Amino acid sequence: MNIIVQKYGGSSVSDKNKIIKVAKKIKQKVSLGFKLIVVVSAMGKTTDNLLNLAKEISKNPNPRELDMLLTTGEQMSVSLLTMALHEINIKAKSLNSFQAEINTLGNHNNAKIKDIKKDKIIKFLKENDVLVITGFQGINPNGDLTTLGRGGSDTSAVALAAALKSNCEIYSDYPIYTIDPKLYKNAKKINKITYDEMLEMASLGSNILHSRAVEIAKKFNVKLYCASTFSNEGGTYVISNTIENPVVTGMSLMKNQTRVNITNLPENHPLLHGIFENLSQKFNVDMISLISIDNKINVSLSIIEEEMKDFDKYLQKALQNIDNSKVSYEHGYVKLSVVGIGMKTEKGVASRFFKSLQNIPIKLVTTSEIKISCLIEKENTAKAIDCLVKEFDL
Amino acid sequence: MNIIVQKYGGSSVSDKNKIIKVAKKIKQKVSLGFKLIVVVSAMGKTTDNLLNLAKEISKNPNPRELDMLLTTGEQMSVSLLTMALHEINIKAKSLNSFQAEINTLGNHNNAKIKDIKKDKIIKFLKENDVLVITGFQGINPNGDLTTLGRGGSDTSAVALAAALKSNCEIYSDYPIYTIDPKLYKNAKKINKITYDEMLEMASLGSNILHSRAVEIAKKFNVKLYCASTFSNEGGTYVISNTIENPVVTGMSLMKNQTRVNITNLPENHPLLHGIFENLSQKFNVDMISLISIDNKINVSLSIIEEEMKDFDKYLQKALQNIDNSKVSYEHGYVKLSVVGIGMKTEKGVASRFFKSLQNIPIKLVTTSEIKISCLIEKENTAKAIDCLVKEFDL
């Protein structure tokens, strides 16, 4: 069997007409001789609406029950898309996580796929042209429904492709651009990008692909193709190597950043190491910068604004036995990053980066082999994007 | 463990406030020392809305896919009710049909419960005060979600009560009245009714209880209590015997009836028996009346108006080799029935029935040991109800 996995995002199935269009797109592929596994997200704003319904009843809904609620969104969309496929004479069957035997581990609301029993899927695929499978979810060892976190349907699709050793096509509003076209309208489409670059871009705020999906694709060498569902402009291949690499392939923006300043920490205090290790496990801590002056340590780092309350609660408790330490928070920042595998070999990228941003105050910086990130005031976002786009021809 | 099964209908959980009220009602029972199995229908008009969504995509949605879609309604309501129970510190857990292992047989959209594996339910009930279980659905031998037909949540609740040998409380808008208060505002509440009477009333158009639920209750001797969710007026016990029986316990009305007249059929034609057997299997055929004149048979019967098109298609085909037979349809009828276990012993009930309706043309009649039904023009409904209520003190 020649199998392809396709994934359609929520905005691609947000109403009747789009569902019918997606069914026709699937039929085209079937007519080329492929058997398809189609992973679908919940229709449009369904997940948000369900979440709001839960919040009306409980400020902190029980995570197991929240997963039980949220997973209905995908079960709705898989059944509707399957009906639309039947209407155009495609043999199709929908499967939820119990039926497709997608097993997970880990926490509710943020589980990880453990394994997929492919025998049953192969059996159903022999009897049908298309299987439409609920994305974003799986069953944990207790038999409970678990969700994979926002964007988790990408991960479902790539995990299915890995299990079936097939290629994976991710359809959403856009292919992958050098920068989100909502932020910079003349952004260019990227034709090819490496897993490592995509991984950096995904974790740095690009919403195109779930970063765990890219991790799995890299680990199992699944060829990814990301494209727009309803346009024919062509998409982006995410692969292990590209022949020629631009220095900077793309740019990501992460909004709502808060800078945390922890000052006056005693050097070599036995508790410090443990505190920071715990913090980075519990929160999305990034861009840690540490300066030691007069046997005192000052630490700056960035977190997502909405995590601040919990972060502060945890930090105050952790620091209660460390005299004179002080914590302050500054809001209103964004994190802007450029990513490119070419940085590994090309010298002077950092200096080009800082020179192009010379009129913009930079509050924190972190770098890796293939990316440079900086924290700037949100008012400077458009200006900074403009400078970097010009400098690196994005 | 002292277990009670409760079922709440869709209108009892149609919004946030009602869900919270139902949770409080459940808490009262828990505080008396009971462990509860709570079966919930989909919120308000959810099932209708999902059905409309399906009809937008397909005029005849695939029954398996339709079940996949419709079952999401109950999964939503069980998770939300469980969250509301957690908010008031009740240990509760929701279960869908895969988790509660409710197994079905038969057709999609109209399946029957085959068995319920109670070991798992007992285990979960030891760890919790309340289990909230999706009504209306189960898993067939293929592992597919199946629904039990409209009103099927009653059946889910009674089947659970039968499996756990517990009593069953059915909460909806009203207890059981001698006649639907929407039809006759001074209807009296019935305090006790037998399974057989309830069965007749349920199949003759009373919407209070699903008739299969009553069948299962009778078979396994489950004590049923039907009451209003949010009022304290007291409810109706459905049991095997009542000590003193009124001659007529209640009255049912079934709207949208069509009278079918099949005339000029040859007597003893070899096909006739098969035709009528098939008709009554495929359609809700009722009130068959047969008159033989001059070696020709004339048959009258009633069907539900919306089945007429399919019925006619089938009948025309079946009669195509029977010369000179004629079929005609008359619309605009209702079926009015009185039900009472006391008819078994009391003489003259039929003559009281016809005498009280003497000014109203009766188009068809059927009787059983405990009921009399007649087909009348819908314009005469209110007048007929009034006559019968007075005659039998309902």
Side-chain angles (χ1 to χ4, degrees):
Chain A
M1 279 193 290
N2 219 341
I3 303 170
I4 284 195
V5 176
Q6 293 190 332
K7 180 252 169 177
Y8 292 92
S11 62
S12 302
V13 291
S14 59
D15 62 35
K16 177 192 86 168
N17 294 327
K18 286 187 176 175
I19 289 174
I20 291 170
K21 272 191 192 172
V22 164
K24 286 179 186 160
K25 194 176 167 87
I26 292 168
K27 185 174 185 170
Q28 281 175 6
K29 210 82 180 186
V30 171
S31 69
L32 297 173
F34 290 99
K35 294 266 187 177
L36 264 70
I37 306 271
V38 176
V39 173
V40 201
S41 300
M43 292 170 73
K45 297 283 169 205
T46 305
T47 305
D48 287 331
N49 295 341
L50 291 171
L51 201 56
N52 290 337
L53 208 56
K55 297 268 178 185
E56 278 186 38
I57 294 204
S58 169
K59 276 185 190 162
N60 285 302
N62 176 283
R64 178 192 182 274
E65 298 305 327
L66 190 59
D67 279 352
M68 188 83 164
L69 181 68
L70 295 183
T71 50
T72 62
E74 284 74 21
Q75 191 168 318
M76 283 173 57
S77 54
V78 295
S79 52
L80 291 169
L81 177 56
T82 305
M83 290 174 197
L85 287 164
H86 290 163
E87 285 295 297
I88 50 173
N89 301 313
I90 296 293
K91 281 199 79 175
K93 185 180 196 126
S94 70
L95 298 174
N96 67 17
S97 310
F98 290 97
Q99 295 164 335
E101 297 187 9
I102 296 176
N103 298 312
T104 58
L105 283 176
N107 295 331
H108 279 287
N109 312 155
N110 196 25
K112 287 181 168 31
I113 291 180
K114 184 188 142 216
D115 57 55
I116 293 172
K117 300 258 182 294
K118 69 172 182 177
D119 294 358
K120 210 165 167 184
I121 290 174
I122 294 285
K123 173 184 164 281
F124 286 135
L125 210 48
K126 280 182 185 158
E127 301 161 358
N128 293 277
D129 295 319
V130 181
L131 297 180
V132 187
I133 299 182
T134 50
F136 176 61
Q137 57 197 269
I139 313 299
N140 74 9
N142 297 331
D144 294 330
L145 279 159
T146 49
T147 59
L148 309 177
R150 274 301 166 110
S153 292
D154 291 345
T155 304
S156 307
V158 175
L160 279 159
L164 296 162
K165 301 193 194 314
S166 72
N167 294 347
C168 183
E169 302 177 348
I170 308 274
Y171 290 102
S172 58
D173 293 343
Y174 305 108
I176 298 167
Y177 288 95
T178 50
I179 178 166
D180 185 344
K182 282 175 204 149
L183 297 171
Y184 186 78
K185 67 175 174 162
N186 291 322
K188 294 179 194 163
K189 193 186 79 192
I190 301 175
N191 291 316
K192 287 179 183 177
I193 187 170
T194 65
Y195 295 126
D196 288 327
E197 288 171 315
M198 195 62 237
L199 211 46
E200 290 280 13
M201 283 182 71
S203 38
L204 292 169
S206 285
N207 294 319
I208 303 287
L209 270 177
H210 200 217
S211 61
R212 281 218 306 286
V214 187
E215 280 172 36
I216 297 173
K218 184 185 173 187
K219 188 169 168 188
F220 295 98
N221 206 21
V222 174
K223 272 188 200 141
L224 285 181
Y225 175 72
C226 300
S228 155
T229 311
F230 301 119
S231 100
N232 294 316
E233 65 172 316
T236 306
Y237 289 93
V238 188
I239 46 184
S240 53
N241 282 300
T242 50
I243 293 170
E244 204 171 340
N245 302 306
V247 177
V248 169
T249 304
M251 199 190 322
S252 294
L253 179 78
M254 198 179 263
K255 294 180 181 174
N256 303 320
Q257 298 290 300
T258 289
R259 186 166 98 151
V260 187
N261 308 301
I262 311 165
T263 51
N264 221 23
L265 293 168
E267 225 171 21
N268 302 321
H269 194 289
L271 290 176
L272 279 188
H273 180 72
I275 291 173
F276 283 103
E277 189 159 308
N278 278 334
L279 277 178
S280 53
Q281 274 169 11
K282 284 181 195 293
F283 303 95
N284 288 303
V285 170
D286 195 16
M287 309 189 82
I288 297 183
S289 149
L290 188 149
I291 299 168
S292 175
I293 304 169
D294 299 337
N295 299 326
K296 294 285 174 189
I297 300 175
N298 295 338
V299 177
S300 290
L301 50 86
S302 72
I303 57 170
I304 299 164
E305 205 173 298
E306 65 179 22
E307 283 193 334
M308 189 209 126
K309 222 170 141 180
D310 290 338
F311 182 91
D312 187 53
K313 206 167 149 185
Y314 182 84
L315 188 62
Q316 294 296 353
K317 203 177 163 192
L319 295 179
Q320 66 189 354
N321 296 319
I322 301 179
D323 292 342
N324 301 319
S325 62
K326 272 186 195 165
V327 181
S328 69
Y329 297 90
E330 296 166 35
H331 301 296
Y333 292 120
V334 300
K335 182 166 67 178
L336 196 59
S337 311
V338 295
V339 174
I341 200 101
M343 286 187 208
K344 278 190 188 180
T345 48
E346 181 94 3
K347 305 276 172 202
V349 180
S351 81
R352 283 173 68 190
F353 181 90
F354 292 115
K355 200 172 166 191
S356 73
L357 296 180
Q358 61 188 338
N359 296 320
I360 295 167
I362 293 177
K363 300 296 180 174
L364 267 177
V365 173
T366 40
T367 61
S368 78
E369 262 197 306
I370 63 164
K371 70 124 199 230
I372 306 171
S373 300
C374 67
L375 204 66
I376 59 173
E377 284 148 6
K378 68 177 176 197
E379 293 74 17
N380 291 323
T381 309
K383 194 172 152 194
I385 287 174
D386 205 50
C387 296
L388 290 168
V389 162
K390 284 187 184 128
E391 178 64 35
F392 294 107
D393 190 26
L394 294 174
Chain B
M1 281 193 289
N2 220 340
I3 303 171
I4 284 195
V5 176
Q6 292 190 333
K7 180 253 167 176
Y8 293 93
S11 61
S12 301
V13 291
S14 58
D15 62 35
K16 176 192 88 167
N17 294 327
K18 287 187 175 174
I19 289 174
I20 290 169
K21 273 191 190 172
V22 164
K24 285 179 185 160
K25 193 176 168 87
I26 292 169
K27 185 175 185 169
Q28 281 176 7
K29 209 83 181 186
V30 170
S31 69
L32 297 173
F34 290 99
K35 294 265 187 176
L36 264 72
I37 306 272
V38 176
V39 174
V40 200
S41 301
M43 292 171 72
K45 297 282 167 205
T46 305
T47 305
D48 287 332
N49 295 341
L50 291 171
L51 201 55
N52 290 337
L53 209 55
K55 297 266 178 187
E56 277 185 38
I57 293 205
S58 168
K59 275 185 189 164
N60 285 302
N62 176 282
R64 178 191 182 274
E65 298 305 327
L66 189 60
D67 279 352
M68 189 83 165
L69 180 70
L70 296 182
T71 51
T72 62
E74 285 73 22
Q75 190 167 319
M76 283 173 56
S77 54
V78 295
S79 53
L80 291 168
L81 178 57
T82 305
M83 290 175 196
L85 287 164
H86 291 163
E87 285 295 296
I88 51 174
N89 300 314
I90 297 292
K91 281 198 78 175
K93 185 181 195 125
S94 69
L95 298 175
N96 67 18
S97 310
F98 290 97
Q99 294 164 334
E101 297 187 10
I102 296 176
N103 299 313
T104 58
L105 283 176
N107 296 332
H108 278 287
N109 312 154
N110 196 26
K112 288 182 166 32
I113 291 179
K114 184 189 143 213
D115 58 55
I116 293 172
K117 299 259 181 295
K118 68 173 183 176
D119 293 358
K120 210 164 168 185
I121 291 174
I122 294 285
K123 174 185 164 282
F124 286 136
L125 210 49
K126 280 182 184 158
E127 302 160 358
N128 292 276
D129 295 319
V130 180
L131 297 180
V132 187
I133 298 182
T134 50
F136 176 61
Q137 58 197 268
I139 312 299
N140 75 8
N142 298 331
D144 293 330
L145 278 160
T146 48
T147 59
L148 309 177
R150 274 300 165 111
S153 292
D154 292 345
T155 305
S156 307
V158 175
L160 279 160
L164 297 162
K165 300 192 195 314
S166 74
N167 294 345
C168 184
E169 301 176 351
I170 307 274
Y171 290 102
S172 57
D173 293 343
Y174 305 108
I176 297 166
Y177 288 96
T178 51
I179 177 166
D180 185 343
K182 281 175 205 151
L183 296 172
Y184 187 76
K185 69 177 174 157
N186 292 321
K188 294 178 194 165
K189 193 187 80 193
I190 301 175
N191 291 316
K192 287 178 183 176
I193 187 169
T194 64
Y195 295 126
D196 288 329
E197 289 170 315
M198 195 62 237
L199 212 46
E200 289 280 14
M201 283 182 70
S203 36
L204 292 168
S206 285
N207 295 319
I208 303 288
L209 269 176
H210 200 216
S211 61
R212 281 219 306 285
V214 186
E215 281 172 35
I216 297 174
K218 184 184 173 189
K219 187 169 170 190
F220 294 98
N221 208 20
V222 174
K223 272 187 200 143
L224 286 182
Y225 176 72
C226 299
S228 155
T229 311
F230 300 120
S231 101
N232 293 316
E233 65 172 316
T236 307
Y237 288 93
V238 188
I239 46 185
S240 54
N241 282 300
T242 52
I243 293 170
E244 206 171 339
N245 301 308
V247 177
V248 169
T249 305
M251 198 189 323
S252 295
L253 179 77
M254 198 179 264
K255 295 182 181 173
N256 303 321
Q257 299 290 301
T258 290
R259 186 167 99 152
V260 187
N261 308 300
I262 312 165
T263 51
N264 221 23
L265 293 169
E267 225 172 20
N268 301 322
H269 194 288
L271 290 175
L272 279 187
H273 180 73
I275 291 173
F276 284 103
E277 189 159 307
N278 278 335
L279 278 177
S280 54
Q281 274 169 12
K282 285 181 194 294
F283 302 95
N284 287 303
V285 170
D286 196 15
M287 308 189 82
I288 296 183
S289 151
L290 188 149
I291 299 167
S292 175
I293 304 170
D294 299 336
N295 299 328
K296 293 286 174 188
I297 300 175
N298 295 339
V299 177
S300 290
L301 51 86
S302 72
I303 56 171
I304 300 164
E305 205 173 298
E306 65 180 21
E307 284 193 333
M308 189 208 127
K309 220 169 143 181
D310 290 338
F311 182 91
D312 188 52
K313 205 166 148 186
Y314 182 84
L315 190 61
Q316 295 296 353
K317 202 176 164 191
L319 295 179
Q320 65 190 354
N321 296 320
I322 301 178
D323 293 342
N324 301 319
S325 60
K326 274 186 193 163
V327 182
S328 68
Y329 296 91
E330 295 165 34
H331 301 296
Y333 292 118
V334 300
K335 183 166 68 178
L336 195 60
S337 311
V338 295
V339 174
I341 199 102
M343 286 186 207
K344 277 190 189 180
T345 48
E346 180 93 4
K347 305 276 174 203
V349 180
S351 80
R352 282 172 68 190
F353 181 90
F354 293 116
K355 201 172 165 192
S356 73
L357 296 181
Q358 59 189 338
N359 295 320
I360 294 167
I362 292 177
K363 301 296 180 174
L364 268 178
V365 173
T366 40
T367 60
S368 79
E369 264 197 305
I370 64 165
K371 71 126 200 228
I372 306 171
S373 299
C374 66
L375 203 67
I376 59 173
E377 284 148 5
K378 68 178 176 195
E379 293 73 16
N380 292 324
T381 308
K383 194 172 153 195
I385 288 173
D386 204 51
C387 296
L388 291 168
V389 162
K390 282 186 183 129
E391 178 63 36
F392 295 107
D393 190 26
L394 294 173

